[in-house]
């Protein structure tokens, strides 16, 4: 078989044969034609007063149905363009707003859709009416970046209708924020029965407790009781009732007026209560005292969307490589096998694009300038570029997708220098120094500014707080804390700064204070249950969690959680080992989050048993 002449031409030669500069000129020429209205041959009109002069040949690229509408028009109108009178087709475009028409015309000439959310909705309506597949796809892609609690259900329906990946993004938003969607979304009840069942049966449904599942069912059914109460029995079968308190089943669900309208649903619930009463004493329980079994549907715990990683620290007199992960659904800590070869304590920790970064610290023999990162998806550790300086007791934060390392001790003295890491170039860059040298301080970010509080400045324990403004590259002080604190934790929580625990030079502290940006003042908050310094903390599911530390006598393994809604600290399941100088972080939305939870531990045991049998 002989090759044709065209098939012998390489791709590179074809590229050379195309004058891309000329193609660009053509695009610019089309835009210029619209701007000057030269050679226009149609006037598009909407019922709400929209008027756009266009070239039919340009608009026809948007779809055949719009082209048919334009070509079928017979009426003409006399217009004046650039001082010249001419007749053009007068085309009325039904079912399209003037705003949508303007965006559509701009798109046809520029190839870019530019509008606000309202305008895109109007454009999408018009695109659906006129079967403009490319415009519909572009609108759906735009909405992926606009998904929120209020519109996620509506966008789910939209994504399904058009077979667009928008449906996956919207579904994930609903699943990850289910309680809030149930509570606040006006479109929640528009979910179909099948969609609601799929959500309730999803192991990754992010709900604090199973009671939320009932709240969702109740709201959905009550929207159309006459029709939906018949579906209540099947919805109740989606409940993981063994993971609910029997008192809730009996006193809340069983007494609800909905159950009076369905004898079948009432019978199902009574059998659930009986099963709970009969089997509770025989079941294995989790850290909350709730029955747990991954093989039994109604006992399965959910897989949390957020996982706490507790890495390194001082253990039995030396820095450790230990990593523990926390499953908030079962209130259990699990020792992970992801430990790397580099023991670490008094280090910084940050999450950037789903990767854990470990900054500085000490290995027990020297102060470190190293940066290591762990990818939980691949399970691999990597070493990255070293910092300019060695930093133990370093404070870290992320601003504009860059990791900032602030202060610390370099083995000789405490420093006020700052540097930041660019993950794209794998390089550190020096940043303006802080006003004060600080080690053992703590930092957080609020509204695109880094705040750093407390710490040691030579032999002085600081109560000062300063912030870094990226816009003008300056450090400025705010109102100091009420008490000096070193080895503390500073967190952003509920639009305030929280300074927790630490050491005031005389004793370890359990006290907590909060900075209100509106009043520019610090006020006391409920004390922690345990005194602690050189500990770590994080925010998970809108609650503060503090982990480990030193109580003035010994390292501790105690963990407690603070909830602003009841203003109480609650003891949680302790980490397995007493540790101070550790660092914790929260990873959200991991594709393999199961591996770091009760589910993951269960599957590991099963694999181990299979290997032994083989």
């Amino acid at each position: 078989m002989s090759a044709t002449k065209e098939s012998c031409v390489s791709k590179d030669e074809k590229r050379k044969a195309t004058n891309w500069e000329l193609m660009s000129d053509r695009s610019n020429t089309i835009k210029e034609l619209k701007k000057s209205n030269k050679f226009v041959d149609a006037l598009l009109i909407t019922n709400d007063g929209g008027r756009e002069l266009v070239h039919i040949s340009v608009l026809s690229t948007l779809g055949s149905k719009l082209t048919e509408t334009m070509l079928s028009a017979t009426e003409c109108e006399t217009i004046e363009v650039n001082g010249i009178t001419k007749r053009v087709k007068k085309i009325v475009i039904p079912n399209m707003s003037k705003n949508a028409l303007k965006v559509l015309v701009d798109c046809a000439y520029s190839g870019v859709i530019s509008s606000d959310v309202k305008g895109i909705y109007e454009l999408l309506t018009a695109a659906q009416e006129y079967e403009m597949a490319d415009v519909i796809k572009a609108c759906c892609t735009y909405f992926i970046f606009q998904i929120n609690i209020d519109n996620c259900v509506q966008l789910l329906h939209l994504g399904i209708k058009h077979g667009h990946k928008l449906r996956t993004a919207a579904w994930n938003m609903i699943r990850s924020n289910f309680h809030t969607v149930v509570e606040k979304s006006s479109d929640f009840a528009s979910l179909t029965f099948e969609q609601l069942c799929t959500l309730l049966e999803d192991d990754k449904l992010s709900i604090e407790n199973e009671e939320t599942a009932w709240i969702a069912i109740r709201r959905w059914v009550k929207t159309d009781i006459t029709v939906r109460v018949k579906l209540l029995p099947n919805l109740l079968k989606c409940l993981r009732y063994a993971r609910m308190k029997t008192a809730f089943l009996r006193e809340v669900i069983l007494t609800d007026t909905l159950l009076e309208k369905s004898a079948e649903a009432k019978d199902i619930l009574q059998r659930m209560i009986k099963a709970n009463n009969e089997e509770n004493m025989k079941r294995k329980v989790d850290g909350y005292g709730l029955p747990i079994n991954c093989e039994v549907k109604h006992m399965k715990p959910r897989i949390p969307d957020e996982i706490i990683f507790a890495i390194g620290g001082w253990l039995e007199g030396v820095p450790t490589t230990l990593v523990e992960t926390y499953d908030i659904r079962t209130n259990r800590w699990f020792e992970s096998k992801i430990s790397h070869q580099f023991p670490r304590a008094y280090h910084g920790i940050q999450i950037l694009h789903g990767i854990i970064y470990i900054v500085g610290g000490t290995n027990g023999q020297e102060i470190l300038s190293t940066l290591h990162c762990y990818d939980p998806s691949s399970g691999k550790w990597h070493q990255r570029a070293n910092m300019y300086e060695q930093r133990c007791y370093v404070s870290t934060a992320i601003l504009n997708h860059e990791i900032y390392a602030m202060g610390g001790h370099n083995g000789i003295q405490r420093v006020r220098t700052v540097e930041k890491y660019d993950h794209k170039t794998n390089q550190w860059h020096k940043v303006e120094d802080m006003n004060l040298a600080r080690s053992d301080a703590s930092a957080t970010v609020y509204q695109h500014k880094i705040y750093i509080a407390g710490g040691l400045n030579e032999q002085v324990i600081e109560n000062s707080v300063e912030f870094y403004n990226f816009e003008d590259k300056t450090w400025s002080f705010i109102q100091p804390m009420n008490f000096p604190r070193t080895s503390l934790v500073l967190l952003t929580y509920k639009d305030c700064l929280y300074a927790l625990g630490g050491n005031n030079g005389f004793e370890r502290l359990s006290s907590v204070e909060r900075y209100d940006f509106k009043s520019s003042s610090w006020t006391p908050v409920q004390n922690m249950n345990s005194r602690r310094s050189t500990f770590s903390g994080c925010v998970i599911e809108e609650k503060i969690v503090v982990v480990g530390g030193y109580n003035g006598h010994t390292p501790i393994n105690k963990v407690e959680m603070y909830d602003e809604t009841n203003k109480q600290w609650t003891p949680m399941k302790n980490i397995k080992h007493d540790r101070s100088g550790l660092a914790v972080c929260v990873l959200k939305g991991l594709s393999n989050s199961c591996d770091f939870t009760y589910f993951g531990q269960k599957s590991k045991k099963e694999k181990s048993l299979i290997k032994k049998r083989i």
Side-chain angles (χ1 to χ4, degrees):
M1 182 181 293
S2 61
T4 64
K5 182 177 180 181
E6 183 176 345
S7 66
C8 295
V9 179
S10 70
K11 289 183 179 180
D12 286 340
E13 287 173 322
K14 286 182 179 180
R15 290 194 188 101
K16 291 175 184 176
T18 303
N19 189 333
W20 294 109
E21 190 174 326
L22 178 60
M23 293 295 287
S24 177
D25 288 344
R26 287 176 181 173
S27 175
N28 292 332
T29 300
I30 290 173
K31 292 176 188 176
E32 184 58 36
L33 283 173
K34 177 66 183 82
K35 185 177 179 181
S36 64
N37 283 329
K38 287 182 180 178
F39 311 119
V40 293
D41 52 6
L43 172 64
L44 304 187
I45 299 174
T46 62
N47 292 328
D48 60 350
R51 294 171 66 88
E52 292 286 340
L53 287 170
V54 301
H55 304 81
I56 291 177
S57 58
V58 175
L59 268 290
S60 65
T61 60
L62 295 174
S64 59
K65 191 171 180 179
L66 179 63
T67 303
E68 289 172 9
T69 301
M70 292 189 294
L71 294 178
S72 63
T74 57
E75 190 176 352
C76 292
E77 182 170 315
T78 301
I79 62 170
E80 185 175 312
V81 179
N82 301 324
I84 300 173
T85 300
K86 65 181 297 185
R87 288 181 64 76
V88 296
K89 272 195 173 187
K90 179 182 177 182
I91 306 170
V92 177
I93 308 294
N95 304 317
M96 188 180 296
S97 69
K98 63 180 180 181
N99 188 34
L101 177 62
K102 185 178 187 318
V103 175
L104 199 60
V105 170
D106 289 345
C107 171
Y109 285 90
S110 68
V112 177
I113 294 176
S114 178
S115 181
D116 57 13
V117 173
K118 181 183 176 183
I120 298 297
Y121 270 115
E122 291 183 24
L123 176 61
L124 180 60
T125 301
Q128 290 173 145
E129 173 73 21
Y130 288 91
E131 301 172 5
M132 301 175 187
D134 288 342
V135 176
I136 290 171
K137 182 178 179 181
C139 290
C140 288
T141 301
Y142 169 87
F143 283 129
I144 288 177
F145 302 98
Q146 306 298 323
I147 295 175
N148 56 45
I149 298 300
D150 295 327
N151 66 20
C152 57
V153 177
Q154 179 186 5
L155 294 182
L156 171 67
H157 297 318
L158 193 64
I160 291 172
K161 179 179 179 180
H162 296 296
H164 191 274
K165 59 185 178 181
L166 172 64
R167 67 184 182 275
T168 302
W171 182 268
N172 289 338
M173 171 65 76
I174 296 168
R175 187 175 65 177
S176 298
N177 302 274
F178 189 68
H179 177 80
T180 310
V181 172
V182 170
E183 187 179 65
K184 297 183 178 181
S185 172
S186 57
D187 296 317
F188 168 73
S190 70
L191 289 170
T192 66
F193 167 73
E194 291 77 12
Q195 288 168 344
L196 181 56
C197 285
T198 301
L199 281 164
L200 294 175
E201 292 179 342
D202 193 331
D203 289 337
K204 288 191 173 183
L205 182 66
S206 184
I207 51 178
E208 185 176 339
N209 52 55
E210 292 301 320
E211 283 77 357
T212 300
W214 164 249
I215 294 170
I217 291 171
R218 186 176 187 275
R219 184 186 170 194
W220 188 85
V221 172
K222 283 179 74 69
T223 305
D224 188 359
I225 293 180
T226 306
V227 175
R228 294 183 173 183
V229 75
K230 299 170 186 176
L231 302 170
L232 183 57
N234 286 329
L235 287 170
L236 286 180
K237 292 175 184 177
C238 296
L239 292 178
R240 303 189 179 192
Y241 62 87
R243 306 272 309 153
M244 303 170 79
K245 297 188 186 313
T246 302
F248 185 86
L249 294 171
R250 184 189 303 112
E251 297 168 15
V252 177
I253 303 181
L254 189 60
T255 60
D256 196 285
T257 54
L258 283 180
L259 274 292
E260 296 174 7
K261 301 180 185 297
S262 174
E264 184 184 356
K266 191 170 187 177
D267 179 62
I268 289 172
L269 190 66
Q270 286 173 332
R271 280 188 273 126
M272 289 177 177
I273 293 171
K274 183 179 179 182
N276 268 12
N277 289 334
E278 290 178 351
E279 299 175 18
N280 261 348
M281 299 304 295
K282 306 173 187 177
R283 298 169 178 170
K284 183 178 181 180
V285 297
D286 66 7
Y288 296 113
L290 295 172
I292 188 168
N293 189 322
C294 289
E295 280 73 49
V296 181
K297 176 183 171 182
H298 60 273
M299 295 187 200
K300 287 173 72 175
R302 306 280 181 180
I303 299 170
D305 191 46
E306 299 178 68
I307 309 287
I308 298 178
F309 283 70
I311 299 179
W314 207 263
L315 175 63
E316 297 179 351
V318 293
T320 180
T321 61
L322 178 64
V323 178
E324 293 181 65
T325 59
Y326 179 67
D327 178 349
I328 195 170
R329 292 290 163 262
T330 62
N331 188 25
R332 288 273 190 89
W333 287 90
F334 301 100
E335 189 169 328
S336 178
K337 303 301 180 185
I338 67 171
S339 301
H340 59 91
Q341 300 175 349
F342 309 100
R344 197 71 59 94
Y346 309 122
H347 49 286
I349 190 168
Q350 292 298 325
I351 304 290
L352 184 61
H353 303 311
I355 307 294
I356 299 175
Y357 287 82
I358 306 296
V359 184
T362 179
N363 60 11
Q365 298 176 337
E366 60 179 332
I367 307 301
L368 303 172
S369 61
T370 57
L371 177 68
H372 289 89
C373 66
Y374 172 71
D375 182 348
S377 298
S378 66
K380 294 181 179 179
W381 285 91
H382 301 279
Q383 185 162 359
R384 297 295 184 235
N386 285 2
M387 295 181 287
Y388 285 102
E389 292 192 62
Q390 298 166 297
R391 298 178 189 269
C392 188
Y393 310 107
V394 61
S395 300
T396 59
I398 286 183
L399 184 65
N400 299 328
H401 307 289
E402 295 178 308
I403 300 172
Y404 282 69
M406 297 158 280
H409 197 289
N410 63 11
I412 301 173
Q413 61 185 358
R414 306 183 208 292
V415 299
R416 63 190 185 103
T417 56
V418 181
E419 50 190 300
K420 65 180 181 180
Y421 175 74
D422 183 342
H423 74 283
K424 294 178 182 177
T425 61
N426 188 33
Q427 289 184 333
W428 288 90
H429 304 278
K430 293 184 178 181
V431 180
E432 290 71 23
D433 290 354
M434 296 182 290
N435 290 304
L436 298 176
R438 300 174 190 267
S439 72
D440 308 83
S442 186
T444 187
V445 172
Y446 180 71
Q447 292 189 346
H448 307 295
K449 294 180 176 66
I450 298 175
Y451 290 82
I452 186 167
L456 275 171
N457 176 14
E458 295 309 324
Q459 299 305 313
V460 177
I461 296 179
E462 289 288 337
N463 67 343
S464 64
V465 184
E466 55 184 304
F467 71 90
Y468 178 69
N469 187 336
F470 176 79
E471 297 297 328
D472 60 13
K473 316 296 184 192
T474 59
W475 287 93
S476 306
F477 288 105
I478 63 170
Q479 182 72 17
M481 297 180 290
N482 293 323
F483 303 99
R485 300 172 187 267
T486 184
S487 304
L488 73 158
V489 165
L490 184 71
L491 295 171
T492 301
Y493 179 59
K494 303 285 187 180
D495 290 317
C496 294
L497 302 182
Y498 277 68
L500 304 99
N503 178 3
N504 64 5
F506 302 98
E507 60 183 348
R508 268 63 187 181
L509 304 172
S510 61
S511 63
V512 181
E513 52 186 302
R514 175 180 61 208
Y515 181 77
D516 186 330
F517 286 92
K518 294 178 181 177
S519 64
S520 300
S521 62
W522 291 88
T523 55
V525 178
Q526 178 66 36
N527 284 6
M528 296 181 289
N529 295 312
S530 299
R531 297 174 181 271
R532 56 181 90 215
S533 66
T534 59
F535 64 110
S536 195
C538 59
V539 175
I540 181 172
E541 295 191 352
E542 298 189 5
K543 298 176 181 65
I544 294 175
V545 173
V546 292
V547 182
Y550 185 76
N551 65 6
H553 304 286
T554 180
I556 59 177
N557 66 348
K558 292 183 178 180
V559 179
E560 49 189 303
M561 177 183 287
Y562 178 75
D563 187 347
E564 176 61 23
T565 56
N566 60 21
K567 297 180 173 25
Q568 294 295 319
W569 286 95
T570 303
M572 306 303 288
K573 197 72 173 179
N574 294 336
I575 51 176
K576 291 190 174 184
H577 306 278
D578 295 334
R579 278 195 280 169
S580 64
L582 75 167
V584 305
C585 61
V586 177
L587 271 166
K588 181 179 175 65
L590 284 176
S591 59
N592 62 332
S593 57
C594 174
D595 295 344
F596 306 103
T597 66
Y598 181 86
F599 265 95
Q601 302 306 310
K602 184 72 177 173
S603 62
K604 287 174 187 176
K605 288 179 182 178
E606 289 172 350
K607 289 177 183 177
S608 178
L609 287 172
I610 291 171
K611 285 181 180 179
K612 287 180 180 179
R613 288 171 191 160
I614 295 172

